[in-house]
Amino acid sequence: MKSVLTSDYKILDNPRNVLRSLSFVTSNTHKFKEVNSYFTGARLSNMKFTINHLNQKYTELQADTISEVAHASASSLSTIMNHDFLIEDSGITVNRLNGFPGPYSSFVFQTVGWQGILDLLGDQEDRSAFFTSVFVLSLDKKLVAFEGEVQGSITIEAKGNFGFGFDPIFIPEGQTGFRTTLAEMETDEKNEISHRGKSLRKLFDFLIQK
Ligand code: ITT
C-alpha cells in the first residue's frame, strides 16, 4: 500500500499553539463520521490534534480477538507510515453463537449481512451480544490502544435507518427506557453509549494530556 501523507502542521495565531494532524486510516466512512462527530462535539480548547480521514484499506492480519487484530494491523502499518496515525478494529460478538462473528464481523457483514445473524440465531432465547472497539494510536512511533465495549441484545427483526453494519439488529442495554436499536439513534446519541464512543473517550482523554 501507498503511504501518501506527509506531516501536516497548522500554525495558529498564537505561535506556541501548533495543531498536529492525525490520520485516521479506515475504508469505513461511517467510522470516520462517528470519530469526527465526537471530536467536533468534545471540548477542543486544549486539544493539539486534528483528525483527518485517510480513506484506505490496509491488510488486516487474522487473529482470535479484535484486540489482537488491531494491534497486529497497527504494528504492520507503522513500518510503512511516516507520520502519526490511528486505526480501529471493531465487531459484534453473539454469545449464543460462541463468539461469532467477533473478529470476522467485516467479512460476515459483507457476505450475509445482519440477516445472516438473525437467521443463525433463529428464535433462540439467549440473544445477548456485545460490540467491541479497539483504537490503536501510533504517536511518535509508539503504539497505544484504547478499548470500549457495549453490551446489549439482538432483535428479532431489524429496525432503524441510521448508522451502519449491524446497528439495525442491536439494542444496547444499561440505559433506562432504551428500547431502540443503534440504527434508530443519531450519531451523537450513538456515541454517548456505544463501544466506539467509549474507546474514543479514552483516546480523547489521552490526547488532551499531550
Ligand atoms: P476498516 O478496517 O477499513 O476500518 P471495516 O468496516 O472493514 O473498515 P472492521 O474491520 O473494524 O472495519 O470491521 C468491523 C465490522 O463490524 C464492520 O464492517 C461492521 O460490519 C461491524 N461493526 C463495527 N462497528 C460497528 C458499529 O458501530 N455498528 C454496526 N456495525 C459495526
Side-chain angles (χ1 to χ4, degrees):
M1 62 167 264
K2 296 183 289 184
S3 170
V4 282
L5 286 191
T6 52
S7 292
D8 171 20
Y9 292 92
K10 290 183 190 156
I11 310 295
L12 298 181
D13 293 337
N14 176 350
R16 282 172 303 170
N17 283 338
V18 177
L19 278 184
R20 291 177 71 175
S21 175
L22 199 55
S23 297
F24 179 24
V25 189
T26 178
S27 61
N28 186 324
T29 52
H30 301 281
K31 282 188 189 178
F32 181 71
K33 186 178 172 199
E34 290 180 13
V35 169
N36 198 36
S37 168
Y38 184 89
F39 274 80
T40 309
R43 284 189 307 111
L44 293 176
S45 50
N46 294 319
M47 177 55 77
K48 300 188 191 74
F49 295 85
T50 59
I51 309 278
N52 61 67
H53 188 189
L54 185 49
N55 192 341
Q56 183 169 294
K57 191 74 194 162
Y58 48 86
T59 309
E60 273 182 19
L61 305 174
Q62 213 40 260
D64 290 343
T65 66
I66 287 164
S67 175
E68 284 172 282
V69 174
H71 279 90
S73 303
S75 247
S76 138
L77 251 188
S78 70
T79 62
I80 50 171
M81 298 284 272
N82 58 4
H83 56 90
D84 300 329
F85 68 89
L86 190 62
I87 61 155
E88 192 239 27
D89 203 69
S90 47
I92 192 167
T93 300
V94 182
N95 294 321
R96 192 68 184 76
L97 302 179
N98 298 328
F100 186 81
Y104 309 105
S105 293
S106 184
F107 177 70
V108 169
F109 186 74
Q110 283 167 38
T111 49
V112 293
W114 45 253
Q115 186 62 52
I117 297 295
L118 292 185
D119 292 346
L120 273 174
L121 207 48
D123 57 2
Q124 292 289 343
E125 229 170 82
D126 178 6
R127 309 190 73 81
S128 62
F130 59 94
F131 269 112
T132 307
S133 157
V134 180
F135 278 95
V136 181
L137 168 70
S138 171
L139 193 61
D140 301 324
K141 288 283 171 196
K142 290 197 190 87
L143 301 182
V144 198
F146 307 89
E147 300 203 21
E149 204 175 275
V150 62
Q151 298 286 336
S153 59
I154 302 292
T155 54
I156 298 288
E157 54 187 32
K159 274 200 302 177
N161 298 312
F162 295 123
F164 69 101
F166 300 99
D167 281 345
I169 61 162
F170 184 84
I171 299 178
E173 71 172 26
Q175 303 275 316
T176 317
F178 262 84
R179 285 290 175 274
T180 53
T181 66
L182 286 178
E184 291 176 284
M185 297 177 192
E186 300 271 7
T187 304
D188 289 349
E189 274 178 282
K190 180 180 168 185
N191 271 345
E192 271 175 41
I193 56 168
S194 75
H195 50 313
R196 189 164 298 105
K198 289 176 183 169
S199 52
L200 271 175
R201 210 159 298 141
K202 292 177 188 170
L203 168 69
F204 183 83
D205 288 348
F206 178 85
L207 288 176
I208 206 118
Q209 304 295 335
K210 289 285 154 190

